[in-house]
């Protein structure tokens, strides 16, 4: 008996922008990969686990800060504001603000990941049935418009999680300037930034004992294998995060354990033993650095809050007169 031939399943299409970015990064003198590609479904789940790790202090510190200073932050923001959130933050953090803001008029979450955006918009809409929630699916590193329904009230742009630290200082300035344009002359920016501190606290936060951050980092190679038909052998790379004190940033690395070649999208990349791929920078700021950063974007820091242990900060910035 002859078996019925199985239908051929077309291969999943390759995302050409992702492929271009990977080829560019691996082809550079110092190999790197953009950290934005960490967050596929697997990576997003791993990141949620990172946030709950004992060593990863930023999430708890930010929640502590918002609990401690939320009422004052709400007073500074004022009544009836349009809250625009860059990146759909966890509804816990956003809720801590919305619970304290006086009669917020509208909540506008902005995110490039449609699934993430809709999930967080639904959560918030269920929790605040009287608050119009207007999700905007957009890449916030470029220009985008708010829906007309967002109204003309005072705008507050919120960027939580110290995600601004994953941008280079130059990119961070451009991002802040874009936020300031969106907020308008009467608006304000609420920006979370992780603070500089001893490497004895910083490095364990990115090299946790359970190895969740290592799995998160290596998932980037697994994602490239899955989506770009590459052949990275995950056991031939290891994760390491180091604090570069001079540059004030954590550098997340994948280290090649041996000399090897890897195929990606029809190209071959050679690795020497010990060669690194830099997958993320996480910049840390001193209070002085925060003022300097704001100044370069034409902004002033009007308020600066920290958590009870002084690990993490939230700055209120508005246009310099
Ligand atoms: C999203 N971002 C602020 C995290 C950070 O701390 O830079 C990403 C991360 N990478 C490893 N652990 C957490």
């Amino acid at each position: 008996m002859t078996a019925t031939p199985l239908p051929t399943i077309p291969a999943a299409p390759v995302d050409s922008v992702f492929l271009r970015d990977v080829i560019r990064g691996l082809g550079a003198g110092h190999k790197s990969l953009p950290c934005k590609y960490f967050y596929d479904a697997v990576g997003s789940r791993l990141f949620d686990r990172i946030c709950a790790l004992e060593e990863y202090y930023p999430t708890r510190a930010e929640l502590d800060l918002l609990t401690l200073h939320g009422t004052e932050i709400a007073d500074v923001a004022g009544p009836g504001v349009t809250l625009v959130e860059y990146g759909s933050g966890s509804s816990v953090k956003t809720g801590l603000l919305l619970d304290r803001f006086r009669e917020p008029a509208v909540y506008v979450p902005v995110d490039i990941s449609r699934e993430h955006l809709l999930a967080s918009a639904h959560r918030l809409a269920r929790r605040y049935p009287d608050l119009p929630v207007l999700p905007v699916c957009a890449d916030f590193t470029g220009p985008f418009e708010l829906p007309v329904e967002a109204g003309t009230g005072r705008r507050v742009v919120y960027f939580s999680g110290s995600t601004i630290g994953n941008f280079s200082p130059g990119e961070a300035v451009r991002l802040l300037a874009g936020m300031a344009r969106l907020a308008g002359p009467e608006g304000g920016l609420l920006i979370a930034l992780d603070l500089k501190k001893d490497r004895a606290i910083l490095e364990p936060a990115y090299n946790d004992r359970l190895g969740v951050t290592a799995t998160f980092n290596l998932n980037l190679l697994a994602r490239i294998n899955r989506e770009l038909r590459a052949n990275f052998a995950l056991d031939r790379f290891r994760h390491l995060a180091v604090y570069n004190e001079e540059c004030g940033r954590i550098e997340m690395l994948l280290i090649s354990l041996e000399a090897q070649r890897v195929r990606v999208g029809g190209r071959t990349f050679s690795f020497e033993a010990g060669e690194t791929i830099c997958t993320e920078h996480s910049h840390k700021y001193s209070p002085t650095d925060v003022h300097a950063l704001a100044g370069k974007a034409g902004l002033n820091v009007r308020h600066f809050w920290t958590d009870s242990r002084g690990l993490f900060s939230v700055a209120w910035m508005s246009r310099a007169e």
Side-chain angles (χ1 to χ4, degrees):
M1 207 173 85
T2 49
T4 320
L6 288 171
T8 49
I9 303 167
V14 164
D15 176 339
S16 57
V17 178
F18 183 23
L19 180 61
R20 183 205 62 197
D21 289 349
V22 169
I23 286 174
R24 193 179 286 165
L26 296 181
H30 293 285
K31 292 182 171 64
S32 68
L33 289 168
C35 63
K36 66 178 174 185
Y37 293 115
F38 277 141
Y39 303 94
D40 65 347
V42 179
S44 299
R45 277 198 298 278
L46 286 165
F47 183 64
D48 288 344
R49 285 181 59 198
I50 288 176
C51 292
L53 288 169
E54 207 182 308
E55 298 97 328
Y56 192 74
Y57 61 86
T59 312
R60 273 186 308 278
E62 188 172 7
L63 291 174
D64 175 47
L65 186 157
L66 295 175
T67 308
L68 263 179
H69 303 292
T71 308
E72 196 188 331
I73 294 173
D75 284 344
V76 170
V81 295
T82 293
L83 183 66
V84 182
E85 182 168 9
Y86 274 38
S88 357
S90 81
S91 36
V92 185
K93 281 180 216 161
T94 317
L96 277 174
L97 282 184
L98 288 173
D99 285 346
R100 287 160 177 81
F101 274 24
R102 271 175 292 138
E103 292 159 34
V106 190
Y107 171 61
V108 186
V110 184
D111 203 293
I112 197 166
S113 154
R114 191 171 290 275
E115 283 163 37
H116 235 81
L117 176 70
L118 292 180
S120 67
H122 277 128
R123 269 197 309 271
L124 267 300
R126 268 199 305 275
R127 189 160 156 196
Y128 301 94
D130 297 329
L131 178 72
V133 176
L134 304 172
V136 172
C137 189
D139 176 358
F140 58 67
T141 58
F144 63 92
E145 296 287 323
L146 291 192
V148 275
E149 300 90 313
T152 51
R154 185 175 194 219
R155 289 178 180 172
V156 173
V157 178
Y158 176 43
F159 197 24
S160 75
S162 67
T163 305
I164 197 158
N166 297 133
F167 293 85
S168 71
E171 289 165 341
V173 168
R174 282 192 289 282
L175 206 50
L176 289 176
M179 290 178 187
R181 268 193 301 278
L182 191 85
E186 305 305 322
L189 275 51
L190 204 50
I191 310 295
L193 302 111
D194 193 15
L195 293 173
K196 282 183 172 158
K197 57 186 68 69
D198 202 305
R199 68 170 67 241
I201 298 176
L202 282 168
E203 287 183 342
Y206 293 82
N207 293 290
D208 64 278
R209 274 167 298 169
L210 293 176
V212 183
T213 312
T215 310
F216 173 73
N217 201 3
L218 284 161
N219 178 58
L220 185 49
L221 302 187
R223 179 178 182 187
I224 293 171
N225 283 348
R226 283 192 294 270
E227 295 183 25
L228 303 180
R229 292 175 223 140
N231 66 348
F232 278 104
L234 269 54
D235 56 356
R236 293 194 194 149
F237 288 86
R238 83 177 170 92
H239 156 84
L240 181 69
V242 283
Y243 184 51
N244 179 335
E245 201 157 350
E246 208 180 308
C247 300
R249 66 188 186 210
I250 282 282
E251 297 174 353
M252 288 252 291
L253 307 170
L254 288 167
I255 305 174
S256 177
L257 294 174
E258 55 194 71
Q260 55 180 316
R261 283 159 182 254
V262 178
R263 300 271 302 159
V264 184
R267 293 179 194 227
T268 303
F269 297 94
S270 302
F271 291 85
E272 288 171 19
E275 191 175 350
T276 58
I277 310 174
C278 182
T279 52
E280 185 183 59
H281 286 160
S282 188
H283 290 87
K284 310 299 168 188
Y285 289 88
S286 68
T288 315
D289 297 335
V290 177
H291 284 266
L293 183 75
K296 286 184 191 149
L299 296 161
N300 275 343
V301 176
R302 313 276 175 191
H303 299 271
F304 187 77
W305 298 278
T306 66
D307 64 296
S308 51
R309 295 172 65 201
L311 298 173
F312 197 87
S313 70
V314 168
W316 175 270
M317 302 178 186
S318 62
R319 280 196 192 177
E321 270 94 50

